[in-house]
Amino acid sequence: MSKVALITGITGQDGSYLAELLLGKGYKVHGIVRRVALEDEIHRLWRIRHLLKDVTLHAGSLESYASLFNIILKIEPDEIYHLAAQSYVGYSFEDEFSTLNININGTHYLLSAVKEFVTSKVRFYFAGSSEMFGKVKEIPQNENTPFNPRSAYGISKATGYYLTKNYREAYKLHASSGILFNHESPRRGFEFVTRKISFAVARIKKGLQKKLHLGTLKSRRDWGHAKDYVEAMWLILQQNNPEDYVIGTGKEYSVEEFAEKAFSHVGLNYKDYVVLDKNLVRPSEVDTLVADYTKAKKILKWEPKTSFEDLVINMVEYDLENVGKN
């Protein structure tokens, strides 16, 4: 019998790649989306448009316990992947209240619904984030590194992590967290700096844009490909014992290096086009994040497959091909 998986955030970057992975493994895949998304297929479902005949979508909201409980009751999932969140760090400075409300309460509601329904059966995955480490206490960061978040987003994710840990220990749920470092792809949202860069490079190359405004070039991140990282999510839920895992590449690059690589791929010098804009600087910045994924490598047998250079080229090539299209 096919396993049943439920994905919150199925319309996002990670959700779309995860849905593809699970369908390829023979799962019946369900996703939770806001009702407005079902009514706006062109703009809100673009990442999973090619999967719509193969997945089942349910209208629901992370802000409604009843809707989440009823969906779980209806489909009886074997695995739940909780990926949905207000995930843009910059926006969390502008609207801390909705970021905290959606990310914390949504996680709490899902865990509570699982506890009330099928504690002995369902396996729960929480999408943690390297932003929980914030102003880091040590380099690199592993599962034992203390959290020190620097944004409402990081705080909300740290809270979700501890909620997941508490439900695992108090109610014996098979609940695990993946602490994923930055992962990108051609499906990344346009508000994120990597996609902002790759899209601008394509537009500049085609004469549709003159400059690229960025807040900082010095921040350093551990960047991998989302397609590799969703495989780690699945592996985490295949383990007999629920645990938490850091997922990353173990290598760090600056925003400046990302921009340099992206522009050079199309024969341009980034220094001729990048403009530093103080209005884009966050109130508190995270300087460097880099993963120590030793545990994932040892237990999950997982390693990243895509290099930094190939990731940048993949994103730029996609945007070159699609710039100007809807």
Side-chain angles (χ1 to χ4, degrees), residues 45-210:
L45 302 182
W46 66 272
R47 294 183 181 90
I48 59 169
R49 197 175 300 143
H50 61 298
L51 302 175
L52 291 178
K53 293 182 180 179
D54 302 312
V55 301
T56 303
L57 301 181
H58 304 266
S61 171
L62 291 180
E63 299 169 271
S64 169
Y65 176 83
S67 71
L68 298 176
F69 183 87
N70 288 333
I71 291 169
I72 292 173
L73 184 66
K74 179 180 179 181
I75 70 174
E76 299 186 19
D78 297 289
E79 298 172 2
I80 295 176
Y81 296 86
H82 178 35
L83 313 184
Q86 191 302 97
S87 59
Y88 178 48
V89 177
Y91 181 72
S92 75
F93 284 106
E94 299 172 21
D95 189 353
E96 296 176 350
F97 295 98
S98 65
T99 298
L100 293 169
N101 180 51
I102 292 170
N103 293 0
I104 295 175
N105 288 342
T107 303
H108 191 193
Y109 291 160
L110 275 169
L111 285 164
S112 179
V114 170
K115 177 178 76 75
E116 294 299 324
F117 180 52
V118 281
T119 56
S120 62
K121 174 189 175 186
V122 72
R123 297 187 173 195
F124 181 88
Y125 172 87
F126 171 69
S129 168
S130 58
E131 290 291 330
M132 300 189 303
F133 294 120
K135 191 172 180 62
V136 297
K137 302 289 188 179
E138 60 188 35
I139 299 174
Q141 297 87 51
N142 60 32
E143 293 80 7
N144 298 315
T145 302
F147 296 147
N148 188 22
R150 300 264 285 171
S151 66
Y153 172 72
I155 292 167
S156 72
K157 282 296 183 178
T159 305
Y161 167 89
Y162 284 119
L163 279 167
T164 303
K165 185 174 186 290
N166 184 64
Y167 270 76
R168 176 172 72 224
E169 295 174 352
Y171 305 112
K172 309 306 178 186
L173 297 188
H174 194 295
S176 302
S177 292
I179 306 173
L180 272 57
F181 281 61
N182 293 63
H183 45 291
E184 321 298 318
S185 77
R187 299 179 190 175
R188 192 54 144 155
F190 291 93
E191 68 271 26
F192 292 89
V193 68
T194 50
R195 189 69 190 283
K196 185 177 180 180
I197 292 171
S198 68
F199 190 61
V201 167
R203 285 176 53 80
I204 289 171
K205 183 64 176 179
K206 299 207 172 192
L208 301 173
Q209 184 172 329
K210 292 184 178 180

Side-chain angles (χ1 to χ4, degrees), residues 298-322:
K298 180 180 179 180
I299 298 177
L300 304 179
K301 310 302 181 187
W302 178 88
E303 288 195 71
K305 300 173 183 175
T306 309
S307 69
F308 174 74
E309 182 175 6
D310 287 344
L311 168 65
V312 177
I313 292 173
N314 179 218
M315 295 177 69
V316 171
E317 284 294 325
Y318 178 89
D319 284 333
L320 282 170
E321 183 179 344
N322 291 280

Side-chain angles (χ1 to χ4, degrees), residues 8-47:
T8 72
I10 193 171
T11 62
Q13 170 189 256
D14 294 5
S16 63
Y17 282 119
L18 179 61
E20 289 175 346
L21 176 74
L22 296 177
L23 287 169
K25 294 182 179 296
Y27 280 67
K28 292 180 180 179
V29 177
H30 296 255
I32 296 178
V33 298
R34 289 184 176 273
R35 187 168 298 279
V36 67
L38 295 175
E39 298 168 352
D40 187 9
E41 179 180 321
I42 292 177
H43 294 99
R44 297 179 183 270
L45 302 182
W46 66 272
R47 294 183 181 90

